[in-house]
Structure formats: structure tokens, C-alpha cells
Amino acid sequence: GRRGSGPTSRQMQQHRRQQQQHQQQSDYVRDTWLSKISTVFSMVNTLIVVVGGGTLLFSDITVATWNPEGLIDFLQRPNTDLQSALFLSSTLYYCVDIIILFLMLYRHGRTGLSRGKRIFEMISTSWPIKRDLGFILHHAFCLLGLCSSMIHRSDATLILLGFTIGEVSNPPRILVTLSGLFPRYLDSIRRHTKYLTNTHLLLFIATRVLLAKYLSSLVSRYAKLYTTIISALGILMIS
């Protein structure tokens, strides 16, 4: 062919950069929507656990529960149908969210590999990848406890108590996340971001101290399943 009839190397590099920018913009849009879906599911699960779980726990408490023997019977009673239904809804949430998190990890990893980064380098340096891996591990421990409890119909009251305590700190955090994802509709909440963040931090510290006591005083003594102890310990360490 004639000289100069094809694209120059500079033009080819510019074309590749444009393609990469377009792909990154597309990934950002997809990740934003995946984050929105994940956050909405998380909010629904939190409401179900806090409201539903708290209601189930307090509605079953009687005067006899406060006696040592009554407390043991309360914590070690067989699973109720309502507890199993609540556990099933949470199990579905964790399974769906794990899929979403893997999709987000795939997109982060593809972007990093296109920039010449290695997998271990991305894991050690990328906060989004560390965060998503942490959530996946957290969800895996949650599924271990929930599924074992549903299969053996045991330890539901103990697990529900821990889940309810653990989720109490999340509503302020979810509101902050939602206000960032939907600024047009939740602008009034964004004005209170600092207050909500501080509230979440205080609740998080308080509930983790309480969960450590719950693990050492209740789970370690009254859990019938080893998986309940393993999942409770794993969740506390990760969170």
C-alpha cells in the first residue's frame, strides 16, 4: 500500500486510550448500579433482622426467662418456624450479595490487569477489592451459621440475638451510603452525614464490645453446634 495510508502508532495509542476510558466509564456505571442494588438489599435485610428479629426475641421472653434455668431453656430451644423464615430471607440476601460482590471484583480486577497490575498487587493496594473480599468472607461466615441452624433446627435464638445486636449499628451507615448513591432524592440526609457517621461509629464500637461479651458468655457456653461458634467468632473478627 501507499505510505501513510494506514493509522499511525500515535493514532492507534490514542484509540486504545479512548477505548480504555470508555470501558472504565462503562464499568463505573455498572459498579454504581451494582452498589445501589447491594445497598438496597442490605438495607432491607437490616430492617428485617432488627425489626423482625428484635420482635421475635422480645415477644418470646417471659418472666421465667430471666431465671438461670429459664434463660438456658430460652437460648437452647428448637428453632421456630418464624425464625427459620427470617433466616431464609437473610440467606437469600447473602447469596445475592455475594454474586454482586464477585461481579464488582471482576470489574475491579479487569481494570487493574489492563493497567499491568498483578492480582496480589491489586489485593494489597486496592481498598475496593479488600472491602469486597472482606464482605464476601463475612457473608460466608453468616451463611455457615444460618444454614447449619436451619438444617439442624438448633441455636436459632442464640444466632438471632447476635444478628440483631450486630445489625443495630448499620442503619446510620446505610443512610449515608444511600444519600451518596441517590443524592437527588436524599439531599436532606447528606446534610447530616457527619452526625450519622459518628452515630454509626459509636454504635459500632458499643455493639462489638457487646458481641465479644455475647460470644464469651453465651455462645461458648450454650451453643449446640460448633458451626455457631465458628461463625460468631469469624464474623466478630472480620467486622
Side-chain angles (χ1 to χ4, degrees):
R2 288 181 301 174
R3 185 177 179 182
S5 60
T8 64
S9 59
R10 179 177 296 179
Q11 288 174 330
M12 293 177 66
Q13 290 177 356
Q14 185 177 4
H15 179 66
R16 281 197 294 267
R17 282 197 298 267
Q18 289 175 347
Q19 284 184 322
Q20 289 177 354
Q21 289 174 355
H22 178 71
Q23 184 64 53
Q24 289 171 8
Q25 289 173 352
S26 299
D27 287 347
Y28 175 78
V29 171
R30 293 190 187 97
D31 286 347
T32 300
W33 276 105
L34 288 172
S35 297
K36 289 180 179 180
I37 295 171
S38 177
T39 303
V40 170
F41 276 132
S42 177
M43 179 184 65
V44 172
N45 182 66
T46 296
L47 290 175
I48 291 174
V49 171
V50 172
V51 178
T55 301
L56 288 178
L57 285 172
F58 286 107
S59 63
D60 292 336
I61 290 177
T62 62
V63 176
T65 306
W66 300 107
N67 299 322
E69 294 182 358
L71 178 62
I72 295 174
D73 291 338
F74 176 70
L75 294 175
Q76 292 186 330
R77 62 180 178 159
N79 298 12
T80 67
D81 291 338
L82 288 176
Q83 288 175 334
S84 297
L86 191 146
F87 281 12
L88 181 59
S89 69
S90 290
T91 297
L92 292 174
Y93 155 69
Y94 289 124
C95 289
V96 171
D97 205 44
I98 284 176
I99 294 173
I100 293 174
L101 288 167
F102 270 119
L103 288 173
M104 294 175 68
L105 277 175
Y106 168 73
R107 302 208 183 280
H108 292 313
R110 187 174 64 179
T111 301
L113 290 173
S114 68
R115 296 175 179 174
K117 293 184 178 181
R118 297 182 178 180
I119 293 177
F120 289 108
E121 181 185 359
M122 288 187 289
I123 293 175
S124 61
T125 59
S126 173
W127 162 245
I129 291 179
K130 289 181 181 178
R131 177 199 60 199
D132 292 345
L133 286 174
F135 276 129
I136 290 172
L137 194 55
H138 169 271
H139 291 0
F141 278 117
C142 290
L143 287 173
L144 174 65
L146 292 174
C147 292
S148 297
S149 177
M150 287 190 291
I151 292 171
H152 298 284
R153 295 192 64 82
S154 182
D155 287 351
T157 301
L158 261 177
I159 293 173
L160 190 57
L161 178 60
F163 264 78
T164 304
I165 295 172
E167 292 289 344
V168 164
S169 65
N170 281 333
R173 176 187 63 81
I174 291 175
L175 285 175
V176 172
T177 305
L178 284 173
S179 66
L181 293 173
F182 303 96
R184 180 185 300 180
Y185 306 101
L186 300 174
D187 184 61
S188 59
I189 294 178
R190 295 185 70 186
R191 301 171 189 172
H192 305 287
T193 296
K194 184 176 181 180
Y195 170 76
L196 290 170
T197 302
N198 291 336
T199 302
H200 165 67
L201 180 60
L202 291 174
L203 286 173
F204 182 86
I205 294 172
T207 53
R208 267 52 196 176
V209 172
L210 189 58
L211 283 173
K213 183 66 176 177
Y214 151 85
L215 178 60
S216 62
S217 300
L218 298 180
V219 175
S220 61
R221 293 183 182 181
Y222 305 125
K224 293 182 178 180
L225 303 174
Y226 286 112
T227 49
T228 302
I229 300 174
I230 294 170
S231 63
L233 181 60
I235 293 167
L236 183 61
M237 291 176 64
I238 294 171
S239 62

